[in-house]
Amino acid sequence: MNRDRLSSRFAACKAQGRAALITFMTAGDPDIAATPAILDALVAGGADIIELGMPFTDPMADGPAIELANLRSLGSGTKTKHIFALAADFRARHPDVPLILMGYANPMLVRGADWFADQCRIAGVDGVICVDVPPEEDAEIGPALRAAGVHLVRLATPTTDATRLPAVLDGASGFLYHVAVAGITGKQQAAQASIEIAVRKLKAATDLPIAVGFGVRSPEQAAAIGRVADGVVVGSAIVDIVGSHGDAAAPFVQDFVAALSGALTTQAQETAA
Amino acid sequence: MTDTINLPNSLRSQPDSSGHFGAFGGRYVAETLMPLILELDKVYRTAKADPAFDAEFAELLRSYVGRPNPLYYAGRLTEMLRDKAAAGKGAKIYLKREELNHTGAHKINNCIGQALLARRMGKKKVIAETGAGQHGVATATVAALFGMECKIFMGAKDVERQRPNVFRMKLLGAEVIPVTSGSQTLKDAMNDALRHWVSNVHDTFYIIGTAAGPHPYPELVRDFQSIIGKETRAQMMEAEGRLPDMLIAPVGGGSNAIGMFHPFLDDPEVAMIGVEAAGEGLDKKHAASLAGGASGILHGNRTYLLQDEDGQITEAHSISAGLDYPGIGPEHSWLHEIGRVRYLPVTDDEALASFQTLAKLEGIIPALESAHAIAAAEQIAPTMDADKIIVVNLSGRGDKDIFTVADALGVEM
């Protein structure tokens, strides 16, 4: 990967002594027309990396907040072609902000992995998180993404033990996403102590940046996790704001993301001082 | 369930070690579940090789489920079809009486097996998804039998449609959790069961009700249900001194069908028909994943699914709640692709007619699922010679369906 936006962004955050802020929204929530403004609000609020969710009828790994977002999006007519158009437009407006597509295998692979990887490359998508393709089924999607120069971001969870971790890391790139709770998105919150132990273990096993997500809802939590991890992922809390404000959500999203970003920066300054 | 011989060129040696039946099957689950799935696979290999496990399973099937259940010659049905057929035509129809099992369907076979596995793994809590409530009742039953805590996930629409089964599950000590997400039916119940499981992996065992889901579920459910085919084989040898010419079974996820078919897969003289629910017709709302779907990934496996061009899952429809699912077990997808099993669609109306036919001619009220297989037999038997033999898997009894049927026939109860 020649112009690797992801590693440049993690490096830049590290140089500032802070964790990267990774924010999630579902593409097409509440509809396709409203999505660019919300994406721009994420960036304007200070998000370093954007995860754009691909809606799916059956989002089994997601809690109620993101599940509802998926249904709102599909209900308003979101199609896969719209998502790639959103991504390409985002790339044109924000040439340096890394963009990750996150979702489930079936919508990604229905036209074949090569088609999907190619669309990602053309649209300027930097990485993909496919929730329901574990390393054991890598052949479904991994080779096509690698050939297209698109990162395959893998997930490590509280149940990923030391014997299994090498399999997860084999073929992982971009960063490693530590799922802080054994559960679904947006529900329970992990104990800070357990996050710290997990991140230390993961850092001992890989040079990839470690981002922590699932259950991160407040600036305070984000700041606490930012002390130990290279990135903090916030999803359901943002999706809830979109759920409440619909196509008028952008300013509210921007304010919330600014609070998250501010907390990460303040924490970094305090640590440095 | 320990006699699967891994012969080369055998159709009975699937899946491979990573859980694939040709291009289908596999393990498509979130990372959180992978370690548990791998552990279950290990525990199952050990159990499969342990004669004590098999012995306990067999004893519970005998003394608790009531096996073996009969293979019954449906003489009146056979004669009625012969009357309509050309001279010398009209195959003999036997029924495998799974509906006589405790809890009234084949589902209990699998639940006993999985509860034994749960106990081996030290899990004290079991969960299950259910559509019509048959698998939920069977799971609640074994949970009571084994003293396990039990939660049943059931679409809110199905909770409304199947109130007697909801009450049964509660009587058996289970907690029934209505699922209000998505279409509020079976696939959503499965989504929420998976969500609960991923959040409680440390102490919870998921008793999947059909031969689908991530490896090793399709394999172990098939193995537990293979008792159906093994008994059929022995009973047919006793009754007729030879193997049947054709097996017919209904297919939703396909556990009763694969249990019936698997012991015969290497007998080329035995033809097999899986019957899919064609609902209102294949050009309208239906649940026929093979006839009207395409390969995709859902609920832990790659298999045929009802989906749109973007890979979004489309809603299934069948008058039979047990067939009302947009997918099918991965081994069926494979058997379909290699052509070993033929899959036929049968509509709601055809199943309704056969539901009544069997009740009037044989004094057996079949489940609507099983009525689909009877309908296929009614179509096929008259085209076969009179010395041919068909076995239909009567997978469940129809008490649970009388309200649905009355409604469809416009009868006030």
Side-chain angles (χ1 to χ4, degrees):
Chain A
M1 271 152 253
N2 298 325
R3 301 173 304 109
D4 189 336
R5 282 177 285 259
L6 263 179
S7 54
S8 319
R9 184 56 64 117
F10 275 110
C13 292
K14 193 169 188 178
Q16 295 167 28
R18 66 177 180 88
L21 176 59
I22 305 172
T23 57
F24 174 93
M25 75 168 293
T26 300
D29 175 29
D31 54 44
I32 286 291
T35 302
I38 301 173
L39 284 171
D40 291 348
L42 296 173
V43 176
D48 295 295
I49 297 167
I50 307 295
E51 275 181 17
L52 187 60
M54 291 180 69
F56 182 41
T57 39
D58 295 81
M60 288 150 280
D62 286 299
I66 295 179
E67 186 191 7
L68 287 172
N70 279 250
L71 297 179
R72 285 194 297 268
S73 171
L74 293 172
S76 71
T78 301
K79 301 285 178 204
T80 300
K81 63 182 179 192
H82 299 137
I83 297 169
F84 282 115
L86 278 177
D89 290 348
F90 178 87
R91 180 52 63 232
R93 294 197 305 281
H94 305 281
D96 302 320
V97 182
L99 181 67
I100 312 279
L101 283 185
M102 181 166 186
Y104 294 82
N106 206 46
M108 291 182 180
L109 299 176
V110 68
R111 294 179 179 87
D114 290 333
W115 181 89
F116 178 71
D118 210 40
Q119 292 295 307
C120 286
R121 183 183 56 76
I122 293 166
V125 170
D126 301 285
V128 167
I129 302 173
C130 185
V131 177
D132 52 352
V133 174
E136 281 77 359
E137 304 291 350
D138 185 71
E140 285 276 5
I141 191 170
L145 290 176
R146 282 172 214 120
V150 177
H151 289 292
L152 174 64
V153 176
R154 287 262 177 78
L155 307 162
T157 72
T159 60
T160 310
D161 58 18
T163 54
R164 181 166 170 75
L165 186 56
V168 171
L169 291 171
D170 181 22
S173 70
F175 62 94
L176 185 66
Y177 188 140
H178 174 61
V179 174
V181 291
I184 50 179
T185 54
K187 293 291 258 194
Q188 318 94 318
Q189 170 183 334
Q192 179 67 15
S194 69
I195 292 176
E196 291 180 11
I197 293 166
V199 171
R200 256 202 309 278
K201 279 187 192 156
L202 296 174
K203 286 199 164 184
T206 179
D207 292 330
L208 288 175
I210 311 295
V212 176
F214 275 48
V216 185
R217 299 194 67 93
S218 71
E220 295 71 30
Q221 270 176 288
I225 293 169
R227 271 197 293 277
V228 292
D230 303 304
V232 182
V233 188
V234 181
S236 294
I238 294 169
V239 167
D240 277 339
I241 295 173
V242 178
S244 307
H245 297 280
D247 57 10
F252 300 96
V253 167
Q254 183 171 334
D255 286 350
F256 178 64
V257 173
L260 294 168
S261 171
L264 286 177
T265 306
T266 306
Q267 174 270 317
Q269 286 160 351
E270 282 166 4
T271 310
Chain B
M1 38 151 294
T2 53
D3 73 348
T4 304
I5 306 159
N6 283 304
L7 292 172
N9 303 320
S10 168
L11 297 177
R12 302 178 62 220
S13 58
Q14 304 281 327
D16 65 18
S17 60
S18 58
H20 293 92
F21 304 85
F24 304 101
R27 292 175 281 218
Y28 299 87
V29 295
E31 172 61 22
T32 306
L33 291 177
M34 268 314 297
L36 186 67
I37 294 286
L38 294 171
E39 192 202 344
L40 173 60
D41 192 40
K42 244 189 255 172
V43 170
Y44 183 55
R45 298 297 138 214
T46 317
K48 220 172 161 172
D50 179 359
F53 182 86
D54 203 28
E56 188 172 7
F57 180 58
E59 175 53 23
L60 283 167
L61 290 183
R62 187 191 69 79
S63 60
Y64 189 72
V65 176
R67 305 200 73 98
N69 56 46
L71 181 69
Y72 164 72
Y73 169 54
R76 298 241 302 147
L77 179 64
T78 299
E79 288 307 323
M80 182 275 282
L81 293 170
R82 280 180 182 166
D83 286 347
K84 292 200 283 188
K89 296 281 180 185
K92 228 174 159 178
I93 299 175
Y94 280 84
L95 306 176
K96 179 58 177 161
R97 302 286 305 274
E98 288 299 306
E99 102 282 7
L100 293 178
N101 293 339
H102 180 43
T103 72
H106 68 289
K107 293 287 185 189
I108 190 84
N109 304 329
N110 165 49
C111 289
I112 297 260
Q114 290 200 46
L116 287 170
L117 287 178
R119 199 182 61 190
R120 266 192 179 233
M121 294 175 84
K123 311 282 187 194
K124 300 244 170 22
K125 298 179 182 175
V126 294
I127 58 168
E129 84 292 342
T130 197
Q134 292 308 97
H135 175 57
V137 168
T139 301
T141 299
V142 299
L145 175 66
F146 285 81
M148 291 167 173
E149 194 181 312
C150 179
K151 285 190 170 70
I152 303 293
F153 294 84
M154 188 169 185
K157 274 189 200 163
D158 290 333
V159 170
E160 273 310 306
R161 292 195 284 201
Q162 308 285 342
R163 301 191 69 86
N165 269 344
V166 172
F167 185 61
R168 277 187 194 104
M169 289 184 265
K170 288 180 179 168
L171 275 177
L172 292 161
E175 182 188 351
V176 179
I177 300 170
V179 173
T180 54
S181 60
S183 57
Q184 310 191 4
T185 57
L186 180 56
K187 86 178 167 75
D188 308 284
M190 194 151 184
N191 290 341
D192 264 24
L194 283 164
R195 290 182 181 115
H196 179 88
W197 196 27
V198 82
S199 310
N200 297 275
V201 278
H202 56 287
D203 65 356
T204 300
F205 188 98
Y206 184 7
I207 299 187
I208 293 184
T210 192
H215 177 66
Y217 279 102
E219 178 187 352
L220 65 87
V221 173
R222 175 200 72 200
D223 289 347
F224 293 138
Q225 292 293 4
S226 291
I227 186 69
I228 303 171
K230 285 181 211 161
E231 282 181 9
T232 300
R233 200 180 174 93
Q235 290 167 327
M236 183 53 69
M237 290 308 289
E238 197 177 324
E240 299 275 356
R242 67 176 184 90
L243 295 181
D245 300 289
M246 180 179 282
L247 306 172
I248 302 180
V251 178
S255 68
N256 85 80
I258 202 69
M260 169 73 105
F261 296 165
H262 193 258
F264 294 93
L265 286 178
D266 287 335
D267 300 295
E269 69 271 35
V270 182
M272 300 176 192
I273 308 280
V275 184
E276 291 196 288
E280 297 170 359
L282 290 181
D283 54 343
K284 302 195 186 101
K285 292 192 296 176
H286 65 86
S289 319
L290 293 175
S295 175
I297 295 168
L298 181 71
H299 292 154
N301 54 188
R302 179 175 272 288
T303 193
Y304 272 78
L305 301 171
L306 300 180
Q307 54 182 323
D308 69 12
E309 74 283 1
D310 271 352
Q312 306 296 349
I313 307 304
T314 51
E315 277 188 36
H317 164 79
S318 168
I319 190 166
S320 151
L323 304 180
D324 197 352
Y325 179 73
I328 185 169
E331 194 162 11
H332 286 294
S333 291
W334 175 67
L335 291 168
H336 166 68
E337 285 219 341
I338 64 169
R340 177 64 184 93
V341 179
R342 200 150 61 93
Y343 293 85
L344 293 179
V346 160
T347 64
D348 287 352
D349 288 344
E350 290 166 331
L352 267 172
S354 292
F355 181 95
Q356 299 166 81
T357 301
L358 197 70
K360 292 204 175 99
L361 281 182
E362 298 288 352
I364 298 171
I365 300 176
L368 276 169
E369 291 80 358
S370 317
H372 283 73
I374 299 290
E378 288 191 53
Q379 292 166 16
I380 296 165
T383 69
M384 292 168 70
D385 290 342
D387 61 352
K388 300 289 183 191
I389 301 170
I390 296 174
V391 180
V392 178
N393 196 15
L394 201 68
S395 53
R397 68 174 182 228
D399 309 43
K400 69 183 173 64
D401 293 317
I402 54 174
F403 301 103
T404 307
V405 172
D407 197 44
L409 299 177
V411 176
E412 290 250 6
M413 288 183 59

